[in-house]
Amino acid sequence: MSDIVVTLPDGSELSVPAGSTVEDVAYEIGPGLGTDTVAGVVDGDLVDKATELDDDVSLVIVTDGSDEYLDVLRHSAAHVFAQALQRLYPDAKLTIGPWTDEGFYYDVTGVDLDSDDLDAIEAEMAEIIEADYEIERFTRTREEAFEAYEDNPYKQDILENEAADEEEVSFYRQAEFEDLCKGPHVGSTGEIGAATLLSISSAYWRGDEENETLTRVYGTAFESEEELEAYLKRREEAKERDHRKLGRELDLFSVPEHSPGCVHFHPNGMRIRRELEEYVREKNDDLGYEEVWTPELNKAALWKPTGHYDNFTAEGEMFNWEQDDTEYGLKPMNCANHAYIYAHEQHSYRDLPIRFSEFGTVYRNEQSGELSGLLRVRGFTQDDGHAFIRPDQIQEEVVDTLRSIREIYRNFDLDIEYKLETKGENAVGSDEIWAQATRSLKDALDAEGLEYDVEDGEAAFYGPKVAVDAIDAIGREWTIGTVQLDFNIPERLDLTYVGEDNEEHRPVMVHRALLGSFERFMGVMIEHFNGKFPLWLAPEQVRILPVSDDNIGYAERVKSRLGDFRVGIEDRSWTVGRKIQQAHEDRVPYMLIVGGDEEEAGTVSVRDREERERGDVAIEEFRAHLEAERGEKRVDPDFLDE
């Protein structure tokens, strides 16, 4: 039997016989590691430790100390849920039950469940975990598996489509329960320290609205009760910060039934969006971008050479139709339109970089069940940019963009992490081009001394990407900004520039977004700040609260002296206490209380949303502070810190 080469995380290589399992490799490295092995990550995919290796691969051994261990544990918790469900509801049919970023879910049918049923199922799960059943892997032939699932068309569908080329398929057994599954799983149910069920919803089989509706039960699991309790606390805080709830309360946006997945920005929300647009325009100017505009409606032929058409239509994500024997579509990306503008005239090497920016609205045909406020939409506007550069300009271009992104996120009090996403299965272009592009991004990250994780196989189809993840106030990660390097689209669209040698050369295309999309960024920002926006972004920056109707005239004069700040006057005949309470609920950064004493002295009493207050403040002093706070884009109102 021939040998294969296994590349380990430290770059070292190990030669082992073809057909060796992940566990075999672990034992080859050391008996202790072999004993501790739970699973493996093979070329980026989490697999069972019994997985055989037939080709050269990269391998990470997963133990209970690995980052991936929690995914394995949660996959096992999904099986515990399924076992508990079938104990209580023997007629329930199982479909799929994968782990997720925050837990697991299992789609089931043949049983009528609602949220009131979850406590009983969870209690049964606790007994299964307490029993500490061994979780053992075994195999059946495909024919035997079909017989085992003669009453379950969903499992048969999996066998027909996902295991069509396999003579044997893997199952996992714990006590009386067994399930068709590729794994991986922990060694026993007792390794699940704590598990709970979170919610229940409906889902379509295979995510297709044309298919049957199933019941989806969500849960999560951790190694300890303490970790679970901390997670549940964060989850409750996330509910309080939910941008959809705050969007209604602060009248920022809506997504009405007549525009599913397409956002309506109300005046308050549009004030925030305009501030973001102007901020990004300033950054684009600093980076040398020229703003363009391209239409949403184009002939589908525009996207065929680039590969966008094949990728987006294959997934059903593109809105396209035929008219007068011609196929049209709503643009899913801005890349091809910007490439068209570049190709509109000839360029010299002296002209490069040439950079185009656009607040370009694009459309994706997302499934109805996956739409979620501002975070998952069908129509969204990217702060998109494309730079056409020479190969010798790559590092400087990428570094400058990453520096700009870092500065932006500091102004939003967001910590950031970097991920280098590499070639995936749907990639276009040669291995050599991908290797060159990936190496160039890596060199730029290394030149800046940035720490980053490598996400194998996660890149867009046309080139590797640096994904910039923002860490919000309660520790959640959001991918927002991106920098992608593309040697493929210039080749496919025959883009050129005339070099110093008077010959034609291919430019390199840099795709970048500083905020990502305005919709998603605003959703993240609303939750990050819990609706308490910095002064420069707040829809209403100052609210003047007259003590009585007699002071409304003075309130108007104060407003006029605050210039171009967004100032409101609470002129309803309420008590001052109620006016203050409403301003707090509306999360206004500053309140100015004006009564007879203030009017006589020509001053104001300043109160901020943190309930700090100071009287006898000169109007010009307060205005000067507002100008400094806005100009420096400070995160928190800080007049009363002085």
Side-chain angles (χ1 to χ4, degrees), residues 487-506:
F487 289 75
N488 283 301
I489 288 180
E491 180 75 29
R492 288 173 162 234
L493 295 181
D494 195 25
L495 304 182
T496 63
Y497 67 90
V498 178
E500 195 170 3
D501 57 2
N502 288 322
E503 298 292 330
E504 288 190 340
H505 299 269
R506 293 271 182 247

Side-chain angles (χ1 to χ4, degrees), residues 6 8 14 16 20-30 33 53 59 61:
V6 174
L8 301 173
L14 188 64
V16 298
S20 298
T21 66
V22 169
E23 189 174 28
D24 291 336
V25 175
Y27 272 109
E28 185 71 20
I29 297 169
L33 183 61
L53 309 176
L59 173 65
I61 302 296

Side-chain angles (χ1 to χ4, degrees), residues 469-598:
D469 283 6
I471 315 300
D472 72 8
I474 57 174
R476 296 171 299 181
E477 293 185 20
W478 307 90
T479 298
I480 304 176
T482 59
V483 185
Q484 296 170 276
L485 207 55
D486 182 0
F487 289 75
N488 283 301
I489 288 180
E491 180 75 29
R492 288 173 162 234
L493 295 181
D494 195 25
L495 304 182
T496 63
Y497 67 90
V498 178
E500 195 170 3
D501 57 2
N502 288 322
E503 298 292 330
E504 288 190 340
H505 299 269
R506 293 271 182 247
V508 179
M509 197 170 174
V510 178
H511 308 245
R512 54 103 270 202
L514 304 179
L515 302 183
S517 77
F518 287 105
E519 288 77 8
R520 181 175 174 81
F521 187 82
M522 284 182 65
V524 171
M525 188 182 62
I526 291 166
E527 298 196 5
H528 173 60
F529 288 122
N530 197 17
K532 297 180 178 179
F533 303 110
L535 177 79
W536 69 281
L537 286 172
E540 185 180 4
Q541 296 166 318
V542 179
R543 185 175 296 178
I544 303 174
L545 313 180
V547 173
S548 72
D549 291 349
D550 293 339
N551 306 119
I552 290 177
Y554 180 60
E556 295 283 2
R557 294 194 295 276
V558 172
K559 177 179 178 180
S560 69
R561 292 174 64 182
L562 293 179
D564 62 350
F565 287 94
R566 295 186 286 273
V567 181
I569 298 176
E570 179 56 87
D571 57 5
R572 287 173 285 194
S573 298
W574 290 351
T575 65
V576 173
R578 185 175 178 189
K579 290 179 179 182
I580 290 173
Q581 179 182 358
Q582 186 61 55
H584 277 298
E585 290 176 0
D586 293 339
R587 293 165 167 80
V588 180
Y590 289 109
M591 291 149 264
L592 302 184
I593 302 169
V594 294
D597 292 342
E598 287 80 11

Side-chain angles (χ1 to χ4, degrees), residues 10-55:
D10 62 359
S12 62
E13 295 181 345
L14 188 64
S15 181
V16 298
S20 298
T21 66
V22 169
E23 189 174 28
D24 291 336
V25 175
Y27 272 109
E28 185 71 20
I29 297 169
L33 183 61
T35 301
D36 293 341
T37 296
V38 176
V41 180
V42 177
D43 291 338
D45 294 327
L46 184 59
V47 300
D48 190 275
K49 63 184 179 181
T51 299
E52 295 183 353
L53 309 176
D54 297 317
D55 299 298

Side-chain angles (χ1 to χ4, degrees), residues 303-328:
W303 301 295
K304 290 184 178 180
T306 65
H308 288 97
Y309 180 88
D310 288 340
N311 273 271
F312 285 113
T313 55
E315 298 297 326
E317 291 185 5
M318 188 170 171
F319 289 100
N320 56 320
W321 66 94
E322 285 203 7
Q323 184 175 333
D324 300 328
D325 298 323
T326 302
E327 189 177 11
Y328 291 86

